[in-house]
Amino acid sequence: MNLNLRRTRPEPLSSASRKAVSAALVGATIVGATVLTASPASALSWKCKTSSTTIDDAGYSGPWGDNWDFTVKNCVARSGGYVYAKATVSWDAPPWYSGTNLSETFDSAHFRLYITHPDAGTDTILGTKTFYIQDNLAGMNGSGNGSWSTSTAKKYVGSKSAYADGALKLNWDEDGKGVRHYDFSGTRSV
């Protein structure tokens, strides 16, 4: 059996053939559910505001340092009548919290993201999204540092202006006070 394994240069495709191949590839990609598209939120022009605060572990009064430094970066964007919001929460806790599940530190730990309309009196909350973050906080590194980002929230607001802000909702273990609300700075309105 004599197989001719000689390499030959393929003939160039005509314009019509190239279009047919392109259409076939696009069709195959769609059928195979491998379509890659940029989500609308990734193409937006985000406006962000970062603020920080130090929070004392209200349930601990021992000899070791117990202050947590939290930084929150709230971000907002607009596309037509929709407003999008997201946030990144970063923390620097004393290293002795590292490696624990934090169940003896928090009874609960959440972050609440707000989409808010500025009003002359009290601003109107148009939408909220609450995230359980206790497990994220426990995922800190050996130095007590960590960071976590929310998913993107989307709210139809029509022609109203709106901004994003956020708050930590922490229930410190054994402090007897329940959930404490810690506000962070909101973005400018879009």
Side-chain angles (χ1 to χ4, degrees):
M1 176 187 272
N2 185 8
L3 295 175
N4 186 356
L5 298 175
R6 189 179 68 162
R7 295 182 69 181
T8 60
R9 174 174 269 168
E11 292 291 321
L13 292 175
S14 68
S15 176
S17 296
R18 280 194 303 274
K19 287 180 185 174
V21 169
S22 294
L25 287 173
V26 169
T29 302
I30 291 171
V31 170
T34 327
V35 177
L36 297 177
T37 59
S39 69
S42 66
L44 296 171
S45 176
W46 292 95
K47 312 288 187 254
C48 300
K49 175 73 175 181
T50 302
S51 60
S52 300
T53 191
T54 298
I55 301 174
D56 178 64
D57 179 343
Y60 177 76
S61 59
W64 296 341
D66 64 349
N67 289 339
W68 291 59
D69 295 322
F70 284 98
T71 300
V72 173
K73 180 180 177 182
N74 288 308
C75 297
V76 68
R78 182 180 198 101
S79 179
Y82 288 93
V83 170
Y84 298 82
K86 63 182 180 178
T88 299
V89 179
S90 303
W91 58 93
D92 181 7
W96 64 271
Y97 288 97
S98 178
T100 67
N101 68 12
L102 300 181
S103 63
E104 293 184 16
T105 303
F106 301 107
D107 289 332
S108 66
H110 294 84
F111 180 78
R112 183 166 294 161
L113 183 63
Y114 298 91
I115 296 177
T116 306
H117 173 66
D119 286 320
T122 303
D123 292 352
T124 304
I125 296 171
L126 302 174
T128 64
K129 192 168 186 181
T130 302
F131 303 89
Y132 174 78
I133 63 168
Q134 187 166 327
D135 293 342
N136 302 95
L137 294 174
M140 69 182 80
N141 66 22
S143 298
N145 303 318
S147 182
W148 166 83
S149 295
T150 68
S151 58
T152 300
K154 176 182 174 182
K155 177 73 176 169
Y156 181 77
V157 299
S159 61
K160 290 182 181 178
S161 61
Y163 64 91
D165 65 351
L168 285 170
K169 313 279 277 174
L170 304 178
N171 186 352
W172 297 97
D173 185 49
E174 296 188 23
D175 74 333
K177 301 284 185 177
V179 176
R180 295 180 189 220
H181 185 93
Y182 303 93
D183 285 317
F184 290 84
S185 298
T187 65
R188 66 182 179 95
S189 294
V190 294

